[in-house]
Amino acid sequence: MIPVIAVHGGAGTITRAALSDEQERAYHEALDHVLHGGQAILEKGGSALDAVTEAVFRLEECPLFNAGKGSVFTHDGTHELDASIMDGRTLAAGAVACVKSLRNPVLGARRVMEDGRHVLLVGEGAEAFAAAAGLEIVSDDYYFTEARYAQWQRALAEGRDGLLDHDAQSLLATPVAVEPIDPETKMGTVGAVAIDAQGNLAAATSTGGMTDKRVGRVGDSPLIGAGCYANNRTVAVSCTGSGEMFMRMLAAYDVSALM
């Protein structure tokens, strides 16, 4: 089996008119860094599970994406992050939701999966579990970026909550974007899927959620079968989009069923 990994940093608008050579290099380098990190593991005979973990870890570390550092703001001006991971060989899965102090939610999800007692931990319980496992805990301001703050402020001014990044385009006074990947129009849920040399599949997904979302809102990203799914018999899936719709349709599992 030829090992392969695919990554996504969220669907959205790339405005070529505003894309300088330097900016284009920055985004390409960021995605190359993510992709090559996962691919290097596969090329050395590593597992698909390790490859998607590494790729999503790197996406969470990059402030260009709505996961980990650079996550969007809730209505109350806080950050609540979700992540999940699934092993297609064993159907083992792990997830965390509404975490506010875990630097890398995908690592928390991986530890939940490896522990095996539960699939999904949320809030303070997830954070306590992650801290006990030795994962890095950070203060809320770690996730802050100026672009996300400005986006949240515009959403507040318009009185619109639960706003997907691409829907926030309507809040702009002009449709002309000033960034190469417009932070008001891109959807930032990140993810990775992979198949390793042994033919095993894996998937991982991570997100900061929806701009100006209600505190406590959880989307599809940490829900196995909705925003993430992997099964060696069929397919590996990592979703990005309107979480509520993905949950209603069980989108990731539905793709697997169709396969």
Side-chain angles (χ1 to χ4, degrees):
M1 185 69 65
I2 299 175
V4 176
I5 185 169
V7 303
H8 71 80
T13 302
I14 301 176
T15 56
R16 291 295 183 186
L19 190 65
S20 69
D21 291 342
E22 182 179 356
Q23 290 167 328
E24 184 174 7
R25 280 196 302 273
Y27 283 100
H28 278 251
E29 287 173 2
L31 290 172
D32 283 347
H33 175 69
V34 170
L35 189 63
H36 291 161
Q39 187 66 29
I41 290 173
L42 295 176
E43 290 175 350
K44 295 176 182 177
S47 70
L49 197 62
D50 286 344
V52 298
T53 302
E54 177 66 18
V56 174
F57 169 83
R58 293 187 180 204
L59 285 160
E60 290 176 343
E61 290 287 291
C62 181
L64 297 177
F65 306 105
N66 176 22
K69 186 171 183 63
S71 289
V72 299
F73 285 79
T74 69
H75 182 73
D76 288 1
T78 58
H79 300 88
E80 295 184 345
L81 289 67
D82 310 323
S84 62
I85 192 167
M86 188 165 185
D87 183 349
R89 182 179 67 86
T90 64
L91 302 188
V96 295
C98 283
V99 293
K100 303 176 182 179
S101 61
L102 180 56
R103 176 167 177 154
N104 296 106
V106 71
L107 298 185
R110 177 77 183 260
R111 293 296 178 88
V112 171
M113 183 194 72
E114 292 171 340
D115 180 73
R117 286 174 288 179
H118 307 295
V119 171
L120 174 63
L121 294 179
V122 303
E124 294 179 358
E127 291 165 346
F129 173 83
L135 300 183
E136 185 173 357
I137 302 301
V138 295
S139 60
D140 186 73
D141 59 4
Y142 166 78
Y143 308 112
F144 177 91
T145 64
E146 289 289 348
R148 292 300 184 190
Y149 180 79
Q151 179 181 333
W152 171 58
Q153 288 294 299
R154 279 192 284 272
L156 285 177
E158 292 291 327
R160 299 178 61 183
D161 63 356
L163 202 64
L164 284 171
D165 291 348
H166 71 306
D167 291 332
Q169 175 67 25
S170 62
L171 302 184
L172 299 179
T174 170
V176 178
V178 295
E179 295 291 335
I181 297 181
D182 184 359
E184 306 306 323
T185 61
K186 79 180 189 67
M187 287 164 27
T189 295
V190 307
V193 295
I195 185 168
D196 58 33
Q198 292 72 46
N200 297 315
L201 294 170
T205 305
S206 183
T207 189
M210 305 168 76
T211 300
D212 200 34
K213 65 184 179 181
R214 290 175 182 265
V215 170
R217 179 264 184 184
V218 176
D220 67 302
S221 296
L223 301 184
I224 302 303
C228 183
Y229 191 74
N231 188 326
N232 276 11
R233 296 176 58 193
T234 52
V235 70
V237 182
S238 176
C239 300
T240 180
S242 178
E244 281 67 22
M245 184 59 70
F246 279 70
M247 286 187 281
R248 293 183 185 112
M249 303 303 294
L250 286 176
Y253 180 77
D254 207 30
V255 171
S256 175
L258 289 168
M259 293 293 288

